[in-house]
């Protein structure tokens, strides 16, 4: 993320979230082998069946355990990036992990009840709340939305009429790296963003 001052800088932060055990895992007798310390940002990994071996400790910018709330995660780890985008800087938030680790819950969640909303729908609300709060009548915002998927190194436009068509990554001096022929819609409300997200979600591949 670029800074607001004259000197540009980038900051990459790594956040770790651990989901709770599901009912199947509990029925099978599985148990947690990790400990999360939100204050120190550390994750302790204990080797199962080997109490004599020292646990391994890993440090991250932030960690969230199985009891963490969607609103807290967004406020602490995502809202600042959205604010920077509103100020004209580039920002990226992405979730990485195996299938079933909770990426969709963190990023999308559920629209209702409100406390289950993930990063993406909360970002929609954050953006348009910020725009509404701007008191300067001479200041305008243009919000565009796209929805793409990278799966097995193939790039697909989830909002295109033919969502199976593979797109190409390009680069030029003015705009940097971009996806050629990626669909982009001007959106004016949270609801319009939600409609595009719902449409694109239907075109996602299983396990993406």
């Amino acid at each position: 993320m670029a800074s607001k001052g004259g000197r540009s800088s980038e900051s990459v932060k790594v956040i770790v979230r651990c989901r709770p055990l599901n009912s199947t895992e509990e029925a099978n007798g599985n148990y947690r082998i990790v400990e999360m310390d939100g204050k120190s940002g550390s994750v302790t990994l204990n080797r199962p069946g080997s109490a004599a071996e020292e646990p391994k400790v890993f440090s991250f910018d932030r960690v969230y355990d199985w009891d963490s709330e969607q609103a807290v995660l967004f406020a602490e780890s995502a809202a600042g990036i959205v604010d920077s985008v509103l100020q004209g800087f580039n920002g990226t938030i992405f979730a990485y992990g195996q299938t079933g680790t909770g990426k969709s819950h963190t990023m999308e969640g559920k629209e209702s009840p409100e406390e289950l909303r993930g990063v993406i729908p909360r970002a929609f609300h954050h953006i348009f709340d910020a725009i509404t709060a701007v008191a300067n009548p001479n200041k305008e915002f243009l919000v565009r939305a796209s929805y793409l998927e990278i799966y097995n190194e193939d790039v697909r436009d989830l909002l295109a009429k033919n969502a199976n068509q593979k797109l190409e990554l390009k680069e030029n001096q003015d705009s940097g790296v971009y996806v050629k022929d990626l669909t982009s819609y001007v959106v004016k409300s949270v609801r319009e963003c939600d409609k595009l997200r719902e449409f694109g979600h239907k075109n996602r591949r299983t396990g993406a």
Side-chain angles (χ1 to χ4, degrees), residues 99-159:
T99 299
T101 53
K103 300 185 301 298
S104 294
H105 173 71
T106 295
M107 296 302 290
E108 295 189 349
K110 295 181 179 180
E111 185 61 27
S112 180
E114 184 177 335
E115 56 264 27
L116 293 183
R117 287 178 185 167
V119 169
I120 294 173
R122 288 180 186 275
F124 294 162
H125 285 271
H126 195 86
I127 289 169
F128 285 99
D129 286 347
I131 292 173
T132 302
V134 173
N136 187 349
N138 297 318
K139 194 170 187 178
E140 295 183 354
F141 291 84
L142 178 63
V143 183
R144 296 181 182 272
S146 300
Y147 196 175
L148 63 81
E149 172 184 83
I150 303 175
Y151 186 71
N152 288 341
E153 300 186 4
D154 292 332
V155 181
R156 299 168 55 242
D157 185 350
L158 298 181
L159 300 181

Side-chain angles (χ1 to χ4, degrees), residues 50-70:
S50 180
E53 184 173 333
E54 287 291 325
K56 295 183 178 180
V57 181
F58 303 90
S59 296
F60 301 93
D61 292 288
R62 287 188 186 275
V63 301
Y64 297 93
D65 66 15
W66 35 90
D67 293 323
S68 58
E69 298 177 356
Q70 300 278 66

